[in-house]
Amino acid sequence: MTLAIEARGIDKTFDGVRALVGIDLDVEQGTVVGLLGPNGAGKTTMVRILSTLILPTAGYAKVAGFDVVTQSDEVRKSIGLTGQYAAVDEFLTGRENLRMFGSLYHLPGKLAKARADELLEQFSLTDAADRTLKTYSGGMRRRLDLAASLIATPSILFLDEPTTGLDPRSRLGMWEVINSLVATGTTVLLTTQYLEEADQLASRIVVIDRGAVIANGTSDELKTQVGGDRLEVVMKDAQSLAACADALRPLASSEIVTTAVTRTVVAPVAGGSAVLPDAIRALDAAGIQFADIALRRPTLDDVFLSLTGHVAEEEEAASGKKRRRKGAGA
Amino acid sequence: MMTTTTPTSVDSHRPPLGWFVSDCVAIGKRQIKTFLRSPSTFFFALFQPVLFVLLFSFVFGGAIPIGNGLNYREFLLPGIFAQTVTFAVAAATVGIAEDAQKGIMDRFRTLPVNQASVMVGRSFSEMVERIMVISIMSLTGLVVGWRTHTPWTQVLGGYGIYLLFAYALTWTGLFVGLTVPNVQVAQTAGVAWVFPLTFLSNVFVPTKGMPHFLQVFAEWNPISSVALAGRQQFGNPVVGVGTSWPTQHAALLAVGWSLTLIAVFSTLAVRRFKAKRD
Ligand SMILES: Nc1ncnc2c1ncn2[C@@H]1O[C@H](COP(=O)(O)OP(=O)(O)OP(=O)(O)O)[C@@H](O)[C@H]1O
Ligand SMILES: [Mg+2]
């Protein structure tokens, strides 16, 4: 087992603000690790340290076997970074952007051109290739941004919230691209605010909150820790809550919770989507009328609630607004 | 060890200096395209120089007598050239601050290249804009009646001094742009130091009439040296200069100032760019 990324006890303090507190992180070569956390958790800070953009206050990190502080030049030869905010030139066309980065990565002229065309094709940007980026949509810009970090086929790729701000279709497209990169052996560290995304892409997930790692494992391990899927039934009236709970009991993996005010019955379940038809049959058999039924996967909120005992907070919601504003302006 | 994907055949035969030059060219090309396509170009490179020349030559042109029946407009214009070249540097400050606020600087800083090339390439490409400014000013000057009265070699020398000075100021502007926290501050800081410097100079009036300490400051002010050297090289009126060392060696001082500023601010700017790792 070779570690592409190895970080030990990373601290980062910004004039008094402790953004990271003793982060340990291992990413095995050829795997995808998802760094999951709410706004302000420290995801971007961690990525910036690993990609040699800022220095850690304490601790050490190796990327591709080189120290990010003392051997940053060597590290830069192996990495690609797609930051949280678009890092491409508005006034250049898509093709010009890619060729520029190709030549800055010292690809011979012909190869830089070919590589640019190839990436434009791969990211479905061929039609827009000769328009300046000012005319690109958010999703197109994001794709070009990712393409630019792939010019030199880096062996380690950092993706900071690659799908934030994308519509569902573009998000799926981005997932496909990331999966195909992984298939070619690229090591990926990606940050996200969505468990679902980490689940789709990452073989291991590291959850951070307020600058510290609070959980670390495969997506299954995390979900088990959180309690897995939940079946939620909304009743027409509060009287039948108990009957509903009784009917669902054989399917539940642990205790069922009923809430009178919202007329809901929540049953933790295992076994994925097959549970849903079973539940409907069980309720039908018991002659229970319900208003709504759904199988809910754990959300980041659930992970948080269960891991930290608090939800992602107001202060962080505020920085989320700031982030969106910045994103829209970029 | 790492059995990673082979990097897409990086051409490693070129010597480091060759790479440095080609990186500078790649950065410079980007800069020039950006410049030609950006709307602010119109303001900084076209509108501002024309406005300055017209405004100052018509507003002050007839109002300030400099004696001996000399043509004030011909006295003024080499000064306005120095002033406008100085103001044009705000574009460099704002431009680099804008880039720093966007993500593109981060991408440049994760490139496996000699990081100095990002700054050096940029400094040269900024000169395209300065050359445009100087050309447009000269043309506007010719329209309002300014003329040169010396052999062309000497006129060329005069332009050389302006260009060298513009290059020195470009580095100053780039350093300021890398030091400010955001674009808004850059817009203010980009010109804040330019105002006192251009007005406490011989651009508008001869230094002789100033109070003593102002006179010393104005005489040593690089903008004065450049303006005075310009007047001499172009054969425009040189009045009220006195006998102090800086006024007797204007061209030498202008070149000396420029080289010093280049040495100091290119070092600071490159270091600042590399060390922006907090
Ligand atoms: N340059 C900086 N100066 C001061 N504080 C900073 C700086 N960069 C980050 N911080 C602080 O560090 C903490 C972590 O920020 P970071 O951007 O790493 O979070 P994040 O997990 O990426 O959040 P988001 O989901 O909003 O992108 C925040 O409290 C933030 O305010
Ligand atoms: Mg972030």
Side-chain angles (χ1 to χ4, degrees), chain A residues 111-184:
Chain A
L111 189 61
K113 281 183 184 170
R115 186 82 182 120
D117 293 345
E118 185 184 312
L119 285 164
L120 287 165
E121 180 75 46
Q122 189 186 342
F123 286 84
S124 324
L125 289 169
T126 307
D127 290 341
D130 297 310
R131 296 195 337 232
T132 59
L133 260 61
K134 287 208 290 191
T135 67
Y136 278 34
S137 71
M140 291 161 79
R141 226 175 264 219
R142 203 72 191 128
R143 294 206 298 276
L144 188 81
D145 206 10
L146 179 56
S149 53
L150 298 177
I151 280 278
T153 352
S155 58
I156 300 171
L157 190 60
F158 296 100
L159 303 174
D160 196 359
E161 301 197 22
T163 66
T164 301
L166 297 191
D167 64 25
R169 201 170 59 97
S170 311
R171 167 169 303 180
L172 282 179
M174 188 61 87
W175 285 0
E176 251 169 58
V177 170
I178 296 170
N179 276 326
S180 69
L181 284 171
V182 176
T184 63

Side-chain angles (χ1 to χ4, degrees), chain A residues 227-231 248-249 251-257 266-270:
Chain A
D229 297 349
R230 288 168 302 130
L231 192 66
L248 294 178
R249 193 140 295 131
L251 298 169
S253 56
S254 62
E255 197 152 340
I256 294 178
V257 179
V266 177
V269 292

Side-chain angles (χ1 to χ4, degrees), chain A residues 43-44 84 160-161:
Chain A
K43 304 181 295 293
T44 299
Q84 190 167 350
D160 196 359
E161 301 197 22

Side-chain angles (χ1 to χ4, degrees), chain A:
Chain A
M1 166 185 121
T2 316
L3 288 179
I5 301 172
E6 180 189 3
R8 288 289 172 274
I10 296 286
D11 273 359
K12 179 68 188 178
T13 308
F14 293 106
D15 3 270
V17 182
R18 293 198 78 183
L20 296 176
V21 190
I23 299 264
D24 292 341
L25 179 71
D26 285 342
V27 180
E28 249 178 81
Q29 200 187 303
T31 67
V32 186
V33 167
L35 203 55
L36 180 69
N39 289 149
K43 304 181 295 293
T44 299
T45 307
M46 190 64 190
V47 165
R48 290 173 67 81
I49 288 173
L50 294 174
S51 54
T52 77
L53 287 173
I54 56 174
L55 299 173
T57 313
Y60 84 91
K62 281 186 169 181
V63 170
F66 298 107
D67 189 293
V68 294
V69 176
T70 58
Q71 298 170 300
S72 53
D73 288 344
E74 274 78 11
V75 171
R76 289 186 191 127
K77 285 180 187 152
S78 309
I79 63 167
L81 165 68
T82 304
Q84 190 167 350
Y85 311 108
V88 277
D89 196 310
E90 298 245 303
F91 292 103
L92 300 189
T93 68
R95 200 188 304 277
E96 285 169 342
N97 263 292
L98 294 182
R99 285 187 182 173
M100 168 179 72
F101 286 114
S103 85
L104 287 171
Y105 274 105
H106 298 175
L107 305 186
K110 255 193 201 153
L111 189 61
K113 281 183 184 170
R115 186 82 182 120
D117 293 345
E118 185 184 312
L119 285 164
L120 287 165
E121 180 75 46
Q122 189 186 342
F123 286 84
S124 324
L125 289 169
T126 307
D127 290 341
D130 297 310
R131 296 195 337 232
T132 59
L133 260 61
K134 287 208 290 191
T135 67
Y136 278 34
S137 71
M140 291 161 79
R141 226 175 264 219
R142 203 72 191 128
R143 294 206 298 276
L144 188 81
D145 206 10
L146 179 56
S149 53
L150 298 177
I151 280 278
T153 352
S155 58
I156 300 171
L157 190 60
F158 296 100
L159 303 174
D160 196 359
E161 301 197 22
T163 66
T164 301
L166 297 191
D167 64 25
R169 201 170 59 97
S170 311
R171 167 169 303 180
L172 282 179
M174 188 61 87
W175 285 0
E176 251 169 58
V177 170
I178 296 170
N179 276 326
S180 69
L181 284 171
V182 176
T184 63
T186 310
T187 306
V188 179
L189 178 68
L190 74 94
T191 78
T192 177
Q193 303 185 33
Y194 311 108
L195 180 61
E196 189 198 1
E197 179 160 288
D199 195 4
Q200 280 288 325
L201 300 171
S203 52
R204 252 175 7 90
I205 299 174
V206 176
V207 186
I208 63 172
D209 179 38
R210 298 174 179 178
V213 175
I214 55 172
N216 181 350
T218 64
S219 120
D220 281 346
E221 284 166 357
L222 275 180
K223 281 189 196 157
T224 319
Q225 215 174 326
V226 177
D229 297 349
R230 288 168 302 130
L231 192 66
E232 283 185 17
V233 186
V234 182
M235 306 304 294
K236 286 185 173 147
D237 53 65
Q239 277 83 32
S240 43
L241 284 176
C244 174
D246 286 342
L248 294 178
R249 193 140 295 131
L251 298 169
S253 56
S254 62
E255 197 152 340
I256 294 178
V257 179
T258 60
T259 313
V261 216
T262 52
R263 305 189 309 277
T264 53
V265 179
V266 177
V269 292
S273 51
V275 175
L276 199 52
D278 288 350
I280 294 172
R281 249 174 264 133
L283 291 172
D284 233 18
I288 291 166
Q289 302 268 307
F290 54 87
D292 189 22
I293 185 165
L295 185 68
R296 298 232 185 278
R297 325 230 61 203
T299 62
L300 181 56
D301 283 340
D302 301 322
V303 176
F304 267 85
L305 208 52
S306 100
L307 289 171
T308 67
H310 70 84
V311 282
E313 272 157 12
E314 279 308 301
E315 163 223 344
E316 286 145 0
S319 73
K321 269 184 221 131
K322 196 173 95 213
R323 180 179 54 76
R324 271 195 297 279
R325 229 187 293 129
K326 253 167 107 178

Side-chain angles (χ1 to χ4, degrees), chain B residues 89-147:
Chain B
V89 169
T93 304
V94 172
I96 199 160
E98 255 167 18
D99 276 0
Q101 198 159 347
K102 290 179 202 150
I104 194 145
M105 247 359 170
D106 281 352
R107 195 183 294 285
F108 287 146
R109 287 171 56 237
T110 53
L111 291 171
V113 301
N114 180 343
Q115 302 282 306
S117 64
V118 178
M119 296 302 295
V120 175
R122 191 173 186 120
S123 73
F124 282 122
S125 60
E126 287 281 347
M127 291 309 288
V128 172
E129 199 245 13
R130 302 303 176 273
I131 289 170
M132 232 167 113
V133 167
I134 291 173
S135 316
I136 286 165
M137 273 187 318
S138 303
L139 291 176
T140 318
L142 288 173
V143 170
V144 299
W146 164 78
R147 294 289 181 272

